[in-house]
Amino acid sequence: MSDIRPEIAEKIQDSLDFLEENLEEDIRLEDLARVACFSIFHYHRLFKEVVGQPAIDYLRKKRLAKAEDEMIETDEKIASIALRYRFCSQESFTRAFTRQFGLPPGRYRRDKGGMLISSLTASGSGHFHARCMLRAA
């Protein structure tokens, strides 16, 4: 990987911030390129160079991670979560989720109680924050 100029890295970071703030919205590559002030072609190439994967793959993984959090933290219907994170159907969400996490979403949610272990991590301010981690199967 070549050295990335700081101003380019900053523009890519601006697009990452936009992406994070708008995961529930319809985000196109054109939108991310516009935020970073690059052409679509140039943005796609630079994003992959800086982040290590195509922007669309990164977006899908971020949406799946947020959906996973909501599945663990809420009892909301899986179909509602799938649609919120811009999957066109529960079936497409299930395929993507299974590829990412190794289990279909319904089973993942059902089994989470037996698979989660809690650990505490201390923050620098002396407060403790609970963090859940998946045990290796």
Side-chain angles (χ1 to χ4, degrees), residues 75-130:
D75 291 328
E76 188 171 359
K77 291 181 179 182
I78 292 170
S80 297
I81 294 171
L83 293 174
R84 177 177 312 110
Y85 288 104
R86 312 308 284 182
F87 289 87
C88 59
S89 68
Q90 185 172 346
E91 291 79 19
S92 65
F93 175 73
T94 297
R95 283 191 302 272
F97 191 94
T98 302
R99 272 195 308 272
Q100 182 78 17
F101 298 105
L103 289 172
R107 183 166 170 211
Y108 186 92
R109 177 181 261 176
R110 242 185 343 271
D111 293 351
K112 73 173 171 52
M115 296 175 65
L116 292 176
I117 58 173
S118 293
S119 68
L120 293 177
T121 57
S123 70
S125 63
H127 295 95
F128 288 90
H129 303 281

Side-chain angles (χ1 to χ4, degrees), residues 43-107:
Y43 176 79
H44 179 70
R45 187 180 61 76
L46 288 172
F47 188 96
K48 188 171 181 182
E49 187 174 344
V50 171
V51 178
Q53 59 187 308
I56 213 69
D57 292 348
Y58 182 86
L59 174 60
R60 184 183 63 254
K61 289 175 183 175
K62 294 302 280 186
R63 285 178 168 161
L64 286 168
K66 291 294 281 185
E68 176 201 21
D69 289 344
E70 287 190 23
M71 285 179 39
I72 290 171
E73 296 170 2
T74 73
D75 291 328
E76 188 171 359
K77 291 181 179 182
I78 292 170
S80 297
I81 294 171
L83 293 174
R84 177 177 312 110
Y85 288 104
R86 312 308 284 182
F87 289 87
C88 59
S89 68
Q90 185 172 346
E91 291 79 19
S92 65
F93 175 73
T94 297
R95 283 191 302 272
F97 191 94
T98 302
R99 272 195 308 272
Q100 182 78 17
F101 298 105
L103 289 172
R107 183 166 170 211

